[in-house]
Amino acid sequence: MQGILDLARVFAYLFLTGLPVSVGVAVVYGFALDRQRKKAVRRAKEAGVDFTPKPVPGPSVPEIEGAIYCVGIIVVGAIIVVAAVLGVSLPLDLSEDMENIIGTVVSGFLAVLLWAVVIWSPYFYKADRRRLEQDLEEAMSRKAL
């Protein structure tokens, strides 16, 4: 049982450290993409090309992270409401071991969800940056024709 408690602690630490890290990553990538857009527009002006970056299809990295946070909050809220309702209307006698297992599973799910977003954020950033560079190259090549 001590192993499950230790695992629950690790998941809780991962979740608590993942929250500020993910917010920081979203802010940094937002500023980095904005800087890349400004740089591309400046390069296009220097080359005498009219360039406005196309809107990115689909959601941006901060929008994806925000959606996952909202889903996480809704899931946690639903779990709390269901647990409160079950506790009030249908008292369950769970052993302490079962409560620890349930807590470990929930904290593990939330930690994995949060860190998955953090880990995948650079791939979304690279894709957005690559798309911006391709749009700039396309605009430059049209001027050459």
Side-chain angles (χ1 to χ4, degrees):
M1 196 68 220
Q2 186 60 35
I4 291 176
L5 291 174
D6 292 340
L7 186 61
R9 245 182 247 113
V10 168
F11 285 148
Y13 289 141
L14 283 174
F15 179 75
L16 291 177
T17 57
L19 220 51
V21 168
S22 61
V23 170
V25 165
V27 169
V28 167
Y29 286 152
F31 282 122
L33 281 175
D34 187 50
R35 189 172 142 227
Q36 291 297 323
R37 283 188 195 99
K38 289 178 182 176
K39 186 177 176 182
V41 168
R42 186 175 56 244
R43 281 182 51 202
K45 276 187 181 178
E46 289 172 356
V49 176
D50 184 30
F51 174 69
T52 53
K54 295 178 189 176
V56 177
S60 66
V61 172
E63 290 170 344
I64 292 170
E65 290 179 351
I68 290 177
Y69 299 152
C70 288
V71 168
I73 289 170
I74 290 170
V75 166
V76 169
I79 290 171
I80 290 171
V81 168
V82 167
V85 168
L86 287 176
V88 170
S89 65
L90 198 72
L92 297 174
D93 240 356
L94 296 177
S95 67
E96 187 177 338
D97 293 343
M98 185 55 79
E99 290 175 0
N100 292 336
I101 291 172
I102 292 171
T104 302
V105 169
V106 170
S107 64
F109 172 75
L110 294 175
V112 166
L113 183 69
L114 191 62
W115 278 100
V117 171
V118 171
I119 290 169
W120 279 99
S121 293
Y123 298 107
F124 293 129
Y125 169 75
K126 287 178 184 177
D128 286 343
R129 186 174 173 187
R130 202 173 315 120
R131 191 176 300 115
L132 182 66
E133 289 172 1
Q134 287 173 351
D135 290 345
L136 179 61
E137 289 173 10
E138 183 180 307
M140 296 265 205
S141 68
R142 275 186 268 150
K143 183 197 180 227
L145 296 176

